[in-house]
Amino acid sequence: MTTKVDRMFLGLLVIVVLSSSWWHLSQQPLLFHKFIEEVTEDTEPDKPLSGTPDFGSMLDVWEKKASFFAFMKTMVDEENQQLRTIRQQLLSYKNKVTLDESQQQWVNSLARLYKVDEKKTELDDIFDELLIKVDEIPISLALVQAANESAWGTSRFALDANNFFGQWCFSKGCGLVPERRPEGASYEVRKFDSPAHSVRSYMHNLNSSHHYESMREMRMKRREIGEPVTGLILAQGLHAYSIRGVEYVDELVRMIKGNDLLRYDLEGESIAVEH
């Protein structure tokens, strides 16, 4: 038999529980972003990663998303910093009257790496094309493509090949054979030594392949007019990334918006317009 005091206590307990539940649900997006930032800040970009987290064991959706984005963002940030450094070096060389032999060799090597048209003989033309190609990939775009292509880090290719972006290779033994590969096809899903190598290859692919020329042109035009370069904009140039085409691009856009990732792109837009 419960007393009046007991009933009052139970009533207060119910109120506390309901209030706690409401606070937890209403604060999830805030806690989600705060968690990403804390994990990212605690991980030194130049420190070797000890291993890929077991995303498949994370049952809480917010925890899985936050952990995945934090894990990938560290590597994306580091690779973008490398691209930024190379780009600044290119700009400094472009402003020189002449280049010495070592500087010229560096530019030539970079031109080969980024598949600059060999017919270009004028140095200014080479610089112009390199500056279109050697540039950063918006953080939001890299994060959602990694999530999409790797099933949030749980796919067979992410786990067994460190491949987070669905990249192919075409020599026997270069990767893993997809279970549903069409008869007669010879491609494999490329195997990487680490997730960081996968990130680097993905960015180089977007920056060098002829399939993504329109994406790079969009980026260049945004740079020229001093507008932010965002994943929402550049996703429109990735129809060739997947056989799903427009549907794939629309999904990337929804993921960027749904996970509030655009803010990462806008935070990085403090760089002055280049001349």
Side-chain angles (χ1 to χ4, degrees), residues 66-211:
S67 297
F68 182 83
F69 286 147
F71 176 71
M72 297 303 300
K73 185 175 182 296
T74 296
M75 295 177 284
V76 171
D77 283 340
E78 183 173 355
E79 198 56 38
N80 272 333
Q81 178 58 52
Q82 293 292 331
L83 288 167
R84 198 177 303 128
T85 299
I86 296 171
R87 185 177 180 82
Q88 290 303 316
Q89 189 69 62
L90 275 171
L91 287 167
S92 69
Y93 283 179
K94 184 180 180 181
N95 293 328
K96 287 180 174 290
V97 177
T98 58
L99 300 179
D100 63 32
E101 185 177 352
S102 64
Q103 293 168 342
Q104 184 66 62
Q105 289 178 352
W106 183 82
V107 172
N108 291 343
S109 297
L110 202 62
R112 288 192 295 272
L113 181 64
Y114 279 87
K115 303 175 184 177
V116 171
D117 188 354
E118 295 180 359
K119 295 179 181 179
K120 295 182 184 295
T121 56
E122 295 295 327
L123 193 56
D124 283 344
D125 293 337
I126 294 174
F127 274 123
D128 289 343
E129 187 169 346
L130 279 173
L131 288 170
I132 293 174
K133 291 185 170 184
V134 182
D135 204 345
E136 299 170 54
I137 301 299
I139 296 171
S140 68
L141 186 61
L143 294 183
V144 296
Q145 281 200 272
N148 192 293
E149 297 289 342
S150 73
W152 297 93
T154 64
S155 71
R156 170 193 170 210
F157 302 122
L159 296 174
D160 296 341
N162 289 315
N163 191 325
F164 285 77
F165 296 93
Q167 298 168 90
W168 290 1
C169 55
F170 297 91
S171 58
K172 189 173 182 178
C174 63
L176 302 180
V177 177
E179 293 178 356
R180 298 180 181 178
R181 186 177 69 178
E183 186 177 352
S186 60
Y187 69 86
E188 298 180 10
V189 176
R190 185 176 172 185
K191 190 169 185 177
F192 293 96
D193 292 335
S194 69
H197 282 95
S198 177
V199 172
R200 173 165 295 184
S201 178
Y202 153 77
M203 288 194 175
H204 184 70
N205 182 35
L206 292 192
N207 280 334
S208 61
S209 172
H210 69 278
H211 293 296

